[in-house]
Every structure is written in C-alpha cells, then in structure tokens.
Amino acid sequence: QVQLVESGGGLVQAGGSLRLSCAASIRAYSTEAMGWFRQAPGKEREFVAGLLWKGGSPYYGDSVKGRFTISGDNAKNTVYLQMNSLKLEDTAVYYCAAAISLNHLVAGQITNSWGQGTQVTVSS
C-alpha cells in the first residue's frame, strides 16, 4: 500500500557528502516512523537513522552519529539522509523504511517491503 522510493545514491570520495531522499506515496499510521537502513556486502542489514513525523529527537545508529542527519519534509512526504564525512565503511545499499513507531523501526519491524534501495559507494 505504501510505496517508498529511494534516490540520491552514487559514488563519492572519502570525506565527501551525499544526500539521500525517500519519497512516500501516502501518509498513514504505518508510516508514523520513517528512516534508513543499510546493508554492505557480506554483512547484515544495519539501522542507520529514524524519525517520527510528529516530532521529537531523531535516533541514530552509533556508527553514524555526528556525521549523518535525518530530516523530513511533511509537505512532500519525503525523508532525507544527509551524509557527511563519508568513510569507506559507509559503502552499502541504503534502504528506506517505515514503521508504526520508532521502536519498531529500529528493531526492523517495518510496514513496507524492502525495495531495491540506493547504492552508496565511498572510494579512497
């Protein structure tokens, strides 16, 4: 029912920046929390960042705190992930996700199906 479309990935040198976007087709109870996961080759999917549309402090995974910033645009039903000071280990496919709460989101209990994501490749 809820379609999420990720965009903004690409190739960037270490220390550079990228901004990812996730556009939601509709607002619903199932999208009260939205955020980002990532999965690098050979590794498990990892929570990156999440927010609540109703407000409050966003939540970040330890590996990206201080470098990544999540934000949302209510008018556009779009969430963003500003990624600064990118490191080689940030290379991964980044996936957008929605959930009924931030706790559910962090735990991977999402209400959308995993899409194709957007590839972020950090080079040296």
Side-chain angles (χ1 to χ4, degrees):
Q1 294 182 18
V2 178
Q3 301 295 318
L4 304 178
V5 180
E6 304 99 335
S7 63
L11 176 65
V12 64
Q13 291 185 333
S17 299
L18 283 174
R19 189 178 77 158
L20 307 183
S21 298
C22 172
S25 60
I26 60 172
R27 286 289 304 278
Y29 175 78
S30 60
T31 66
E32 287 300 304
M34 292 185 66
W36 296 89
F37 287 75
R38 68 185 183 185
Q39 187 168 27
K43 297 183 179 180
E44 295 182 345
R45 185 175 285 112
E46 173 191 22
F47 174 78
V48 176
L51 60 72
L52 291 171
W53 286 112
K54 68 179 182 180
S57 299
Y59 184 76
Y60 298 93
D62 289 339
S63 63
V64 305
K65 287 181 179 178
R67 300 187 299 119
F68 292 8
T69 302
I70 187 171
S71 61
D73 186 331
N74 281 283
K76 298 180 179 180
N77 290 333
T78 300
V79 296
Y80 305 95
L81 185 68
Q82 179 66 46
M83 306 185 295
N84 298 326
S85 301
L86 283 163
K87 304 175 181 179
L88 294 177
E89 53 264 40
D90 294 320
T91 295
V93 177
Y94 284 70
Y95 300 91
C96 186
I100 63 173
S101 74
L102 191 57
N103 286 340
H104 284 80
L105 181 69
V106 173
Q109 303 297 319
I110 63 173
T111 55
N112 67 293
S113 298
W114 296 113
Q116 295 185 356
T118 185
Q119 176 72 49
V120 173
T121 302
V122 183
S123 64
S124 61

